[in-house]
Amino acid sequence: MIINHPLLGPRDSQEFTYLGDAALIDRPDWQAEDAVDQFHDYLYLRDNPAGIHRELWFHETGDRSWLVVTRDTTTHEITSVELARDVARARGRSK
Amino acid sequence: MSDLIPLTALGGTSPRVDTFQGLEISECPEWALASIAARSGRATDMASAAQAFLGVALPDVARTAEKAPFSVFWMGPEQWMIEAPHDSHEDLATQIKAALGDTASVTEQTDGWVRFDLTGERCHDVLERLCNADSRSMPPGSATRTQLEHLGCFLIRRPQDSHFSVLGPRSSAGSLHHALETAAKSAI
Amino acid sequence: MTQVNRLGGGQIDTGRTLSFRFDGKTFQGHPGDTLASALLANGVRLMGRSFKYHRPRGVLTAGSEEPNALVELRTGARQEPNTRATTAELFDGLQAASQNRFPSLKFDALAINDRFSNFLTAGFYYKTFMWPAAFWEKLYEPIIRKAAGLGSLSLQDDPDEYDKGFLHCDLLIIGAGPSGLAAALTAGRSGARVILADEDFAFGGRLNAETFSIGDADATDWVARTLAELQSMPNVRCMIRTTVIGAFDHGIYGAVERVSDHLPEPMPGKPRQILWRLYAKRTLLCAGAIERPIAFENNDRPGIMLAAAMRSYANRWAVTAAQKVAVFTNNDDGHRTAVDLIAKGVKVAAVIDPRPDAPRLADCELLAGAQVIDTQGRLGLKFIKVKLGDGSERTIECGALGVSGGWNPNVHMTCHQRGRPVWNADIAAFVPGKDGPAGLSVAGAAAGDFSTHSALRTGAAQAASALDGIGLSASPADMPEAEDAPVNLQPFWYVKHGKGRAWLDQQNDVTVKDVKLAHQENFRSVEHLKRYTTLGMATDQGKTSNMGGLAIMAELAGKSIPEVGTTIFRPPYTPVSMGVLGGRSRGMHFHPVRETPSHTWATEQGAVFVETGNWLRAQWFPKPGETHWRETVDREVRAVRSSVGVCDVTTLGKIDVQGTDAAPFLNRVYANAFAKLAVGKTRYGLMLREDGIAMDDGTTARLAEDHFVMTTTTANAVGVYRHLEFVRQCLCPDMDVQLISTTEAWAQYAVAGPNSRKLLQKIVDPEFDISNENFEFMACREITVCGGLRARLFRISFSGELAYEIAVPTRYGDALIRRLMSAGQEFDVVPYGTEALGVMRIEKGHAAGNELNGTTTALNLGMGRMVSKKKDSIGSTLSEREGLNQPDALALVGFKPKDNSAQVTSGGHLMSMGTPVDASHNQGYVTSACYSPILESSIGIGFLKDGSNRMGESLRLVSPLTDSEVEVEVVSAHFVDPEGDRLRV
């Protein structure tokens, strides 16, 4: 596959390491009442869609950026690639 | 200065040079390296401090910049590697840290890497056997990280036309050199 | 015997004669020949025996689709089974042998199978070897395995090298026939980056096999002229002997270039083959078409081949399979074979065409409305039996028969991403569907445009349109007039006459009857048909046979062919050698090696090395006279504990962590607290996974308020770095922290033992006070050594002794170990390896990879209280889960055998005394064990349920795997210096 890196342009997926669902960005609040339950769901309950999936890829032999890649798991068509850092900020993550 | 005698990455006291028809592969231990990464929100400050120190602006994504005795290449978002002659700049990281202050994190990288320079018109024929980087369409003065012999390496096209540098993990210098040599024999 | 069937002309160099051997007999051929064409030239039609029935077989085709003529090529280590004689280029000295026959090709004992063909039909194995089940492994399988398979392997190492490579282009053109060449001209002239690849050893495709004109020149002249122009363009790469084997995602294609297959052996330093990974913005498939046969009784005799193959042999290779031939065709194109062979002086007995209104195109007898119903000739064709239009039968003498049932566009590559071909009734064939790989278009015969005229034009037009799609402008190259015959064909798949066997798939010995049987037994879907009958399997993947099977199944099911569907093709297009997939990565170059800074020195000392990941580390340093590794390791341990030793620990991962938020960042990734670590101090850190399981550990030193150096275990360095970047970029994007790996930049040595300080004081520059008072346990500092060399010193200990780790820039690592050794002579300093390191850490009870094994928590490791509850760290929340905090949770403890001479075995499980040895009574397991020269006993550490409260208890350490059982006592994991006094002196 070719991943169109937002900074570097098209790069072979061989250069990347796959992690999984981009929902891993949404790490729960450790001080919440039900933190253990929230962390449990965060870590173990994932969708596994046949179709559009937002997922995390690490440009391991590249610029070391984590990317959020939107990919159709049935066709491998990639419709969007974003820097995970930007996605994380947009989803309210800070420090 | 210390009386400890340094070795090159390939274990010699002098650098290794291999010559092929139209290509020379040379080990280049004579460069000091330091990486700089902008502190949060200080990218602009770092850029101007770096420009003042280097005499040239930090290059754009995937590009290099040169102003003797320095050359700089882009490594990643808000991160660059600076090269300078080892003889005169063995303490490169310290010098840069002094110049950039708290705008940047500076890390000595000199011996993290082995550098092999490829010069001659057959560069592309050898590189295409080694990595997926499209060396032919890389403009002079550009840099990319790529996988070469299973190793994460920097591939730099110097401003001179037929001159590439491969920077790979120093501990695997032997394997990297073997790959370069085998590919050169195979392709040339 | 000279080349009795060699004709005039052709694209062979008759000025040179090559000598080769087949089944021990010497023959002659010429440069430009294939093994198949040279054998035919020498009158050899019989080239092999069929897979199942051991039927005599010759060539069916003249290309890579060949199902029959598979030979063992070369001898010795280069012996290669199942090589197609139709693609093997002849070279002087070539040696080949036929396969699947015993004792000889002409008399094959297993041909007896042919007599039992009534039993060996489709599904025979499934039906016969069902029961009793116990017979399968001992009886049936060995017999079947012995009888199965064709050629044999040399069982020697492949002496050749293989390479790989990467190429980029705007337009990849697959196939260099008329459409491919027209496309390449169009794209090349536009300045686009073009790769033109063809599997053949001559460009031109079908034009090499025909007698066409293009414009006013011979087609072969046009090919030569076109090629000369293409080769003069720096933006066009013409790749000959290069098979594109697969279409992968997003414009990535695989190709195998056979660099040296046509040579007796590769030139020095050159690879046998290269596996190319092609990155193409657009791809044009110009792979042509493959002729399909008609099935009739005994249609597999040597001498019966496809009509176009017969024509190829005559026109390109100046060869005929026999001096008298016939043609059986249902379409006009087949008649060309008769025309061309007559022109070459070969006698054509008749053209048999089942169409009653077949045109008379060749100057020979035409039997319109007739069919070939049977053949004769034990080892090669002698007669064909023809049923004429009026129902009468006639026997015709001929040594070869060209058969044409029409052409199938070569849609292979369009199916690699689940694309389905669609039926085109005009040519009675499947053509590429619209759902092929993105970026791939098709031109020429591969798209169903069979005439040369139209191939040239569609090639040029499709190239221009493909480039237009990526914003490059190109105008289709002007193409001269060329052959433009319409497709004139009456679909005709098999002759219904007779009860004998009519072969569909010659490679797998599948007959028309087998398809009927599959239908009768309800294996009617094409996928079931394939698997039940094996139709379309093996090296040719049914390129000449799938269509026939499908048509017969359609007829039996009373459906149209497109209703029955089609099996699709998968990569690779043709078989690929394992060697080329491995490329350069084999033997000692299977993966890159990482050498430590002391590697050369350690080699000089005679060190024994061990692979840890890619690293080569010294395992121990034997001294003359030491006869067993234990002797060496015991000595090294005693020397460290009594004086001083040095060990290369460069391999531990080092990550530079800087920034104003570096401390909060470490607080986040480590379970224990780091924020308050003083500058100039080092702390042990335990890193958890988010699920609360230990991920990694190591020491992290604070060099400045905003600067830490983290160490990771050797094995996890890459994974930990990736994890840290995940936390930094995805979880804490606004933290001011920057990371970079510096593992290789520093040569780091552990200097351990009571005399370690004294030794270091000899090399550390005097302005740095490293006395116990001013450089206490867990201190760190940037210093200089040996007269000004920058260095880092850490007072940390893995061995449990007074110890330091000292780091200098890697290039000085070799000099430093030599200096430490010479300066340490007065203390009898020893180098020690990973084995002694391991012994000492077990003696000290330090956890390592065996304990951080992906199932253990901080609590298990005895570090439960280290997990800070006052801060947010990865893994801390889920480490609180009830299941991980049971009262009887596993705890790290030590074990000593009751009998001092007995051995504690790593991996053994712990059982209480008197309980059964089974999983439900399992009390825990031993993770690490060694012989401790200090305690003079075997010892171990491991995990025991509620271990901390079971000190002194006796347990059985059982290892069912090694059938051993030892009684052990539970003790503290800290065998040596449990209070840690030695660390602080």
Side-chain angles (χ1 to χ4, degrees):
Chain A
M1 289 194 294
I2 301 285
I3 293 175
N4 195 8
H5 191 296
L7 300 173
L8 296 168
R11 305 289 295 218
D12 194 320
S13 61
Q14 283 184 328
E15 299 172 1
F16 293 80
T17 304
Y18 180 77
L19 180 63
D21 196 330
L24 281 170
I25 289 172
D26 300 322
R27 187 170 177 268
D29 177 4
W30 70 292
Q31 290 176 309
E33 277 295 304
D34 58 345
V36 172
D37 291 340
Q38 284 195 35
F39 268 93
H40 172 272
D41 293 357
Y42 162 75
L43 199 60
Y44 296 111
L45 300 185
R46 302 274 172 70
D47 290 334
N48 183 22
I52 304 295
H53 192 218
R54 277 162 66 78
E55 49 199 27
L56 284 161
W57 292 74
F58 181 52
H59 201 191
E60 184 110 46
T61 53
D63 75 341
R64 308 295 175 100
S65 286
W66 277 96
L67 304 180
V68 174
V69 175
T70 306
R71 183 176 69 104
D72 187 321
T73 57
T74 61
T75 63
H76 294 183
E77 189 193 4
I78 292 172
T79 44
S80 144
V81 184
E82 303 151 274
L83 290 173
R85 191 168 206 161
D86 296 342
V87 174
R89 284 187 176 129
R91 298 190 66 79
R93 301 216 68 88
S94 177
K95 284 195 172 186
Chain B
M1 199 48 211
S2 152
D3 58 350
L4 294 178
I5 298 164
L7 292 187
T8 72
L10 287 175
T13 45
S14 58
R16 169 94 180 230
V17 178
D18 298 273
T19 308
F20 303 87
Q21 191 72 44
L23 178 74
E24 190 176 272
I25 300 175
S26 46
E27 186 190 10
C28 304
E30 61 274 11
W31 296 94
L33 300 173
S35 63
I36 62 172
R39 291 280 167 92
S40 270
R42 304 296 301 279
T44 320
D45 298 340
M46 181 183 86
S48 27
Q51 184 163 7
F53 175 76
L54 300 166
V56 63
L58 291 174
D60 204 351
V61 172
R63 300 306 301 256
T64 72
E66 308 220 354
K67 178 82 191 288
F70 301 109
S71 57
V72 193
F73 63 88
W74 186 90
M75 291 175 80
E78 299 189 350
Q79 193 179 42
W80 286 264
M81 186 85 90
I82 298 171
E83 302 173 283
H86 191 267
D87 282 350
S88 51
H89 293 75
E90 181 159 1
D91 60 345
L92 180 66
T94 313
Q95 292 177 21
I96 296 173
K97 183 64 189 170
L100 304 190
D102 61 3
T103 67
S105 295
V106 181
T107 305
E108 171 168 343
Q109 291 280 333
T110 302
D111 285 348
W113 303 90
V114 57
R115 170 173 157 184
F116 292 104
D117 276 15
L118 281 66
T119 50
E121 73 269 20
R122 300 301 297 275
C123 281
H124 300 297
D125 299 330
V126 174
L127 287 170
E128 74 186 16
R129 298 287 177 92
L130 292 165
C131 63
N132 71 20
D134 184 3
S135 68
R136 285 185 172 81
S137 70
M138 276 175 79
S142 60
T144 185
R145 208 166 189 162
T146 186
Q147 199 168 313
L148 202 156
E149 191 70 3
H150 313 287
L151 300 165
C153 295
F154 289 106
L155 178 65
I156 300 163
R157 184 168 193 175
R158 304 289 176 184
Q160 304 76 14
D161 192 39
S162 299
H163 183 183
F164 285 82
S165 297
V166 173
L167 269 70
R170 181 182 173 109
S171 65
S172 294
S175 294
L176 185 54
H177 179 261
H178 173 81
L180 291 168
E181 197 183 19
T182 309
K185 282 182 190 157
S186 174
I188 296 174
Chain C
M1 188 161 64
T2 53
Q3 302 175 41
V4 291
N5 285 332
R6 186 69 77 179
L7 309 170
Q11 296 181 43
I12 48 167
D13 176 9
T14 48
R16 281 178 58 211
T17 297
L18 307 175
S19 189
F20 70 100
R21 287 168 81 80
F22 179 67
D23 278 348
K25 203 170 163 193
T26 303
F27 298 98
Q28 268 84 44
H30 300 292
D33 262 327
T34 62
L35 175 59
S37 70
L39 283 171
L40 288 176
N42 284 278
V44 178
R45 290 176 298 170
L46 174 61
M47 297 186 198
R49 289 276 176 168
S50 75
F51 182 61
K52 200 156 109 181
Y53 301 121
H54 292 251
R55 302 260 299 183
R57 293 279 167 79
V59 290
L60 180 70
T61 74
S64 66
E65 67 272 29
E66 174 62 29
N68 273 344
L70 305 181
V71 299
E72 269 169 21
L73 203 61
R74 305 171 197 262
T75 56
R78 289 193 170 85
Q79 176 179 316
E80 194 183 341
N82 307 334
T83 304
R84 285 149 292 168
T86 50
T87 59
E89 281 178 69
L90 199 67
F91 54 82
D92 200 43
L94 177 146
Q95 293 202 44
S98 58
Q99 307 182 141
N100 208 34
R101 81 292 189 265
F102 179 83
S104 76
L105 185 55
K106 287 189 178 164
F107 178 79
D108 177 4
L110 273 172
I112 191 78
N113 282 2
D114 201 30
R115 303 293 174 93
F116 294 105
S117 61
N118 280 347
F119 301 100
L120 292 170
T121 51
F124 168 72
Y125 291 92
Y126 301 133
K127 292 168 188 164
T128 310
F129 299 108
M130 292 277 288
W131 25 250
F135 276 32
W136 174 252
E137 204 172 310
K138 293 222 161 61
L139 184 65
Y140 297 148
E141 190 182 343
I143 292 174
I144 294 169
R145 285 208 182 279
K146 194 155 188 292
L150 291 170
S152 57
L153 295 164
S154 72
L155 299 179
Q156 297 176 43
D157 283 349
D158 187 339
D160 294 328
E161 290 174 24
Y162 297 82
D163 210 343
K164 63 176 177 179
F166 309 83
L167 296 174
H168 303 255
C169 62
D170 296 315
L171 184 65
L172 166 66
I173 301 166
I174 303 170
S179 55
L181 289 169
L185 270 187
T186 300
R189 285 174 185 166
S190 81
R193 288 175 86 183
V194 179
I195 292 174
L196 175 65
D198 198 290
E199 62 171 345
D200 203 339
F201 57 91
F203 286 110
R206 200 63 214 158
L207 296 177
N208 290 319
E210 305 288 0
T211 51
F212 296 150
S213 297
I214 291 182
D216 45 16
D218 280 354
T220 47
D221 292 340
W222 180 84
V223 170
R225 231 175 29 237
T226 304
L227 204 56
E229 182 179 344
L230 292 172
Q231 282 167 340
S232 74
M233 297 177 180
N235 54 319
V236 177
R237 186 169 184 138
C238 298
M239 300 181 73
I240 205 163
R241 299 187 178 96
T242 303
T243 308
V244 177
I245 56 169
F248 304 98
D249 287 311
H250 305 162
I252 299 176
Y253 290 79
V256 173
E257 181 179 359
R258 296 179 305 282
V259 179
S260 309
D261 278 21
H262 61 295
L263 305 173
E265 56 186 75
M267 307 289 277
K270 301 298 173 195
R272 168 90 180 265
Q273 300 176 350
I274 301 173
L275 178 67
W276 293 104
R277 190 173 174 90
L278 309 176
Y279 299 89
K281 290 183 185 146
R282 288 288 184 273
T283 301
L284 190 58
L285 181 67
C286 301
I290 294 175
E291 200 171 24
R292 60 202 187 201
I294 296 170
F296 51 90
E297 233 177 281
N298 292 312
N299 61 334
D300 63 332
R301 294 192 196 282
I304 302 177
M305 62 180 73
L306 291 168
M310 186 177 261
R311 207 151 79 227
S312 299
Y313 285 116
N315 290 328
R316 178 171 171 184
W317 287 290
V319 162
T320 180
Q323 290 303 322
K324 190 173 175 191
V325 307
V327 173
F328 180 27
T329 176
N330 66 340
N331 63 86
D332 288 3
D333 186 71
H335 292 248
R336 287 191 212 274
T337 301
V339 174
D340 287 0
L341 268 83
I342 290 167
K344 288 272 185 183
V346 177
K347 184 163 172 39
V348 178
V351 173
I352 300 108
D353 192 326
R355 297 175 295 176
D357 58 347
R360 187 167 184 279
L361 299 171
D363 189 15
C364 64
E365 186 176 11
L366 170 71
L367 301 174
Q371 302 172 14
V372 177
I373 55 171
D374 198 2
T375 69
Q376 291 168 39
R378 195 175 72 85
L379 297 174
L381 182 67
K382 285 183 179 155
F383 299 99
I384 57 172
K385 204 173 179 188
V386 178
K387 186 179 179 187
L388 300 175
D390 62 6
S392 64
E393 291 180 8
R394 187 171 138 191
T395 297
I396 297 172
E397 185 183 6
C398 59
L401 175 70
V403 182
S404 176
W407 291 80
N408 292 325
N410 195 350
V411 301
H412 207 293
M413 208 68 57
T414 68
C415 302
H416 287 191
Q417 287 166 37
R418 306 204 306 183
R420 293 266 165 190
V422 295
W423 184 251
N424 179 338
D426 295 342
I427 57 171
F430 283 102
V431 295
K434 301 236 178 290
D435 55 355
L440 178 135
S441 44
V442 192
D449 293 317
F450 286 153
S451 83
T452 310
H453 190 85
S454 124
L456 292 169
R457 274 152 192 80
T458 58
Q462 290 286 354
S465 136
L467 292 175
D468 186 55
I470 50 170
L472 297 176
S473 100
S475 43
D478 275 342
M479 285 294 136
E481 296 297 309
E483 170 274 329
D484 198 15
V487 174
N488 204 345
L489 159 146
Q490 176 70 49
F492 188 76
W493 307 103
Y494 73 106
V495 175
K496 294 186 178 66
H497 183 275
K499 293 199 167 139
R501 283 168 298 164
W503 307 88
L504 278 174
D505 181 339
Q506 300 202 21
Q507 184 155 79
N508 296 290
D509 275 346
V510 179
T511 65
V512 173
K513 271 186 190 172
D514 290 321
V515 176
K516 289 181 174 169
L517 185 65
H519 177 263
Q520 185 183 317
E521 297 184 347
N522 212 20
F523 289 90
R524 295 178 186 185
S525 106
V526 281
E527 302 296 345
H528 287 157
L529 171 66
K530 174 173 180 173
R531 280 149 191 89
Y532 198 58
T533 62
T534 69
L535 176 82
M537 291 189 181
T539 63
D540 71 339
Q541 289 287 297
K543 291 188 182 77
T544 56
S545 61
N546 281 349
M547 199 57 232
L550 207 58
I552 293 164
M553 184 55 87
E555 183 184 297
L556 295 170
K559 291 179 178 171
S560 68
I561 290 173
E563 279 174 326
V564 172
T566 174
T567 55
I568 59 174
F569 296 97
R570 285 185 291 259
Y573 176 68
T574 50
V576 175
S577 68
M578 294 302 287
V580 78
L581 295 176
R584 291 188 304 270
S585 304
R586 57 188 272 198
M588 62 177 295
H589 301 292
F590 180 65
H591 60 72
V593 169
R594 301 178 80 179
E595 289 180 358
T596 65
S598 63
H599 186 85
T600 306
W601 175 84
T603 306
E604 289 166 17
Q605 307 310 306
V608 172
F609 291 94
V610 60
E611 285 187 35
T612 51
N614 288 350
W615 287 102
L616 279 180
R617 299 186 75 179
Q619 198 169 10
W620 56 80
F621 294 82
K623 275 196 165 175
E626 289 176 342
T627 55
H628 190 275
W629 66 267
R630 261 276 311 283
E631 200 181 345
T632 306
V633 172
D634 290 356
R635 171 183 54 76
E636 291 174 8
V637 171
R638 285 196 193 97
V640 172
R641 296 231 184 268
S642 64
S643 181
V644 61
V646 180
C647 181
D648 192 328
V649 294
T650 303
T651 61
L652 294 175
K654 302 178 207 59
I655 299 170
D656 208 44
V657 183
Q658 295 193 47
T660 54
D661 289 326
F665 178 76
L666 292 173
N667 253 357
R668 187 68 49 85
V669 297
Y670 277 129
N672 51 321
F674 267 81
K676 290 184 183 140
L677 180 66
V679 172
K681 287 287 183 189
T682 304
R683 181 171 287 174
Y684 172 83
L686 178 67
M687 206 175 277
L688 302 181
R689 308 191 312 215
E690 194 68 272
D691 61 1
I693 301 293
M695 172 195 269
D696 199 61
D697 67 348
T699 56
T700 288
R702 191 166 202 169
L703 297 179
E705 199 59 37
D706 56 357
H707 187 185
F708 294 80
V709 176
M710 171 190 285
T711 61
T712 74
T713 59
T714 301
N716 289 336
V718 171
V720 168
Y721 182 82
R722 187 188 305 146
H723 171 68
L724 297 186
E725 284 289 7
F726 169 75
V727 175
R728 185 178 83 98
Q729 297 177 35
C730 300
L731 302 183
C732 320
D734 290 337
M735 270 196 188
D736 178 27
V737 60
Q738 292 80 39
L739 307 171
I740 193 159
S741 166
T742 64
T743 304
E744 327 240 335
W746 297 89
Q748 194 150 322
Y749 297 105
V751 182
N755 284 322
S756 56
R757 183 184 302 122
K758 286 184 195 152
L759 169 53
L760 282 171
Q761 276 167 338
K762 292 180 73 175
I763 65 153
V764 171
D765 289 338
E767 59 266 40
F768 298 98
D769 180 358
I770 59 167
S771 66
N772 193 32
E773 298 70 41
N774 291 312
F775 195 71
E776 57 202 12
F777 182 54
M778 298 307 272
C780 67
R781 191 177 301 167
E782 292 180 288
I783 59 167
T784 62
V785 298
C786 302
L789 177 65
R790 64 199 182 285
R792 290 170 174 175
L793 187 65
F794 309 88
R795 187 170 164 188
I796 51 179
S797 175
F798 197 45
S799 56
E801 298 300 324
L802 168 68
Y804 301 82
E805 289 188 12
I806 182 162
V808 295
T810 308
R811 66 181 64 199
Y812 299 103
D814 176 83
L816 182 65
I817 186 93
R818 290 175 200 273
R819 182 65 52 87
L820 285 166
M821 286 300 135
S822 57
Q825 268 179 7
E826 61 175 292
F827 310 110
D828 295 323
V829 65
V830 298
Y832 65 99
T834 54
E835 203 65 34
L837 183 86
V839 169
M840 287 189 280
R841 73 100 189 161
I842 295 170
E843 288 177 338
K844 181 66 185 169
H846 279 317
N850 291 8
E851 287 72 42
L852 275 67
N853 59 19
T855 68
T856 50
T857 63
L859 181 71
N860 298 148
L861 291 160
M863 298 188 247
R865 271 174 298 182
M866 268 176 64
V867 181
S868 169
K869 300 297 170 196
K870 296 185 194 137
K871 61 169 181 123
D872 180 15
S873 71
I874 304 289
S876 76
T877 303
L878 288 184
S879 71
E880 291 169 19
R881 283 180 291 173
E882 197 185 339
L884 301 178
N885 292 281
Q886 297 295 308
D888 67 344
L890 294 172
L892 186 67
V893 293
F895 304 99
K896 273 177 77 171
K898 294 286 231 188
D899 169 2
N900 233 19
S901 65
Q903 198 177 328
V904 178
T905 313
S906 172
H909 280 257
L910 299 156
M911 304 288 160
S912 297
M913 304 304 290
T915 62
V917 177
D918 59 28
S920 63
H921 291 85
N922 189 25
Q923 298 296 300
Y925 57 100
V926 172
T927 49
S928 304
C930 68
Y931 175 78
S932 163
I934 304 302
L935 284 82
E936 295 183 334
S937 164
S938 176
I939 59 170
I941 58 174
F943 295 102
L944 177 65
K945 283 182 180 175
D946 193 23
S948 7
N949 296 318
R950 295 171 74 173
M951 291 298 151
E953 185 178 333
S954 289
L955 293 168
R956 300 158 67 197
L957 174 61
V958 298
S959 173
L961 211 58
T962 55
D963 198 22
S964 67
E965 175 170 339
V966 173
E967 194 179 332
V968 295
E969 182 189 340
V970 181
V971 296
S972 157
H974 310 294
F975 294 90
V976 167
D977 189 29
E979 304 304 321
D981 297 334
R982 296 186 196 179
L983 304 166
R984 295 180 171 83
V985 292

